Amino acid sequence: MTYILGIESSCDETAASVTLDGRKVLSDVVYSQADIHKKYGGVVPEIASRNHILCVTQVIEEAIGKAGIQKEDLSAVAATVRPGLIGALLVGLSAAKGFAYAIGKPLVPVNHLHGHIAANYIANPDLKPPFICLVASGGHSHVVEVTDYNEFTVLGATMDDAAGEAFDKVARVLGLGYPGGPLVSKCAEDGKASIPFPRPVQGLDFSFSGVKTAVINHVHRLEQKGEPIIKEDIAASFQAAIVDVLTSVTIEAAKQKGMKKIALAGGVAANKCLRTSLMEATGENGMEMYMPPLSLCTDNGAMISCAGYYAYQSGMRAPLSQNAIASL
Ligand code: KG4
Ligand code: ZN
């Protein structure tokens, strides 16, 4: 029996979780700072670090308590080491180091995006590599070929903005608030996708900065002409552009690789429109679709614990001198 404690602090969620043998979640504690950053319209790195410091120990203790195990039962401590906000990452990683050292167990480094992909293993006990995974979060958007539990090949990626970043920026332009993804999505429910925003794709790479600029220009034009700004239609049209691009590159990647299994990961995976679009497209192409429940799409500790389990099994270890790394 392998119990792994997973610790996540790469952005504005302080999270810890204990899993058993990778896929059974015994506890999953997430403390979100979203309400704190809301008033600034986005995550303020310095404030994020300070708030991680305030609650990281409590979140870890709660995760172990809820799992109903003793610290000594843990096989290893896994922590997100990259990518993310450097100050935020350092808090979770330092806590993980101290904890691992105190209980005399190894420290396992986890890439945050591998964690997002691993959320699919928790939700689908039968899912095994290889498969194609669309990873769309606030900072990254990639089409990944998952060849094995610890082997990944990036097939396509955004050439500029990440999908979540585009959602957050458009939410700001429309005055909807933060975090933008869920608010744009909610607003879009009452709108018509009637505005043809651009959908640039080059092979398996794509771009979202043009869509964002097109939304900004569209709003400015309406303002200058004194015409009404129907936020709902703009949100629905923007969302349709993003979803079309992400769906088409994912299906194309699967076709090119002859892959029949597709998974979805990252905060943007919580988008209902994207989930429906991929379900339909995979169905039409005779492919199987896997996606985590909404709670496992946005940042959490269970996905880090699960990815940590597979890294631990393959012998991956981090020294106590392990640094956090902001980049992918
Ligand atoms: O994966 P995540 O929690 O953090 C990062 O690793 O970046 O993703 C956060 C991103 C934010 O940009 C947020 O606006 C977006 O995911 N997001 C959504 C939805 N829920 C969260 N985007 C679109 N639709 C949603 N329902
Ligand atoms: Zn994330």
Side-chain angles (χ1 to χ4, degrees):
M1 291 209 292
T2 306
Y3 294 101
I4 305 282
L5 169 67
I7 301 173
E8 156 63 31
S9 71
S10 65
C11 191
D12 62 342
E13 266 93 25
T14 322
S17 160
V18 176
T19 56
L20 169 60
D21 296 334
R23 301 197 185 209
K24 189 168 190 316
V25 180
L26 302 182
S27 65
D28 189 18
V29 181
V30 182
Y31 167 70
S32 173
Q33 305 174 12
D35 281 343
I36 297 170
H37 298 282
K38 209 180 250 174
K39 53 178 170 291
Y40 305 104
V43 178
V44 183
E46 175 79 15
I47 295 176
S49 310
R50 287 168 186 265
N51 280 283
H52 284 308
I53 291 265
L54 292 178
C55 69
V56 68
T57 308
Q58 197 185 330
V59 166
I60 291 171
E61 281 183 353
E62 210 177 310
I64 291 171
K66 283 191 173 159
I69 60 158
Q70 302 300 313
K71 295 177 179 66
E72 296 70 29
D73 299 331
L74 290 168
S75 303
V77 179
T80 306
V81 297
R82 73 190 307 170
L85 302 171
I86 194 71
L89 284 167
L90 280 168
V91 176
L93 176 58
S94 301
K97 284 181 187 178
F99 200 84
Y101 183 72
I103 61 170
K105 296 291 164 72
L107 177 71
V108 177
V110 175
N111 177 309
H112 182 76
L113 297 187
H114 299 172
H116 273 302
I117 294 170
N120 284 283
Y121 299 133
I122 297 171
N124 304 282
D126 301 330
L127 178 63
K128 289 189 187 82
F131 56 89
I132 296 290
C133 188
L134 169 65
V135 189
S137 72
H140 300 90
S141 293
H142 291 98
V143 182
V144 179
E145 183 182 12
V146 182
T147 45
D148 208 337
Y149 287 107
N150 297 295
E151 273 176 37
F152 309 85
T153 308
V154 175
L155 303 176
T158 178
M159 294 181 273
D160 37 59
D161 292 0
E165 189 181 354
F167 268 97
D168 293 336
K169 284 181 183 162
V170 164
R172 215 171 301 160
V173 173
L174 296 179
L176 298 174
Y178 172 86
L183 298 167
V184 169
S185 168
K186 179 105 202 27
C187 181
E189 281 174 16
D190 301 319
K192 283 195 301 286
S194 50
I195 310 154
F197 289 131
R199 290 154 163 77
V201 173
Q202 227 175 65
L204 294 175
D205 293 326
F206 44 95
S207 157
F208 289 139
S209 87
V211 192
K212 176 196 67 190
T213 309
V215 171
I216 295 170
N217 291 342
H218 182 80
V219 170
H220 285 171
R221 253 197 317 276
L222 292 176
E223 276 171 352
Q224 279 166 359
K225 288 199 268 178
E227 289 177 12
I229 295 166
I230 305 166
K231 288 182 185 180
E232 292 78 5
D233 289 353
I234 299 172
S237 305
F238 159 76
Q239 179 174 257
I242 300 277
V243 166
D244 281 355
V245 167
L246 291 177
T247 303
S248 72
V249 290
T250 306
I251 298 294
E252 182 54 32
K255 282 184 181 165
Q256 285 185 15
K257 291 288 166 183
M259 206 79 87
K260 289 286 179 195
K261 284 191 284 187
I262 307 232
L264 179 58
V268 183
N271 185 275
K272 274 190 220 153
C273 191
L274 178 62
R275 294 169 82 91
T276 308
S277 168
L278 276 169
M279 280 300 282
E280 284 172 6
T282 47
E284 281 162 14
N285 287 282
M287 298 167 181
E288 259 178 293
M289 184 72 216
Y290 297 86
M291 48 182 90
L294 302 195
S295 60
L296 285 174
C297 289
T298 45
D299 292 349
N300 63 84
M303 68 185 202
I304 302 303
S305 182
C306 178
Y309 168 79
Y310 289 106
Y312 172 75
Q313 294 290 50
S314 76
M316 233 180 277
R317 304 287 183 267
L320 288 178
S321 58
Q322 174 73 49
N323 212 343
I325 303 145
S327 71
L328 186 61

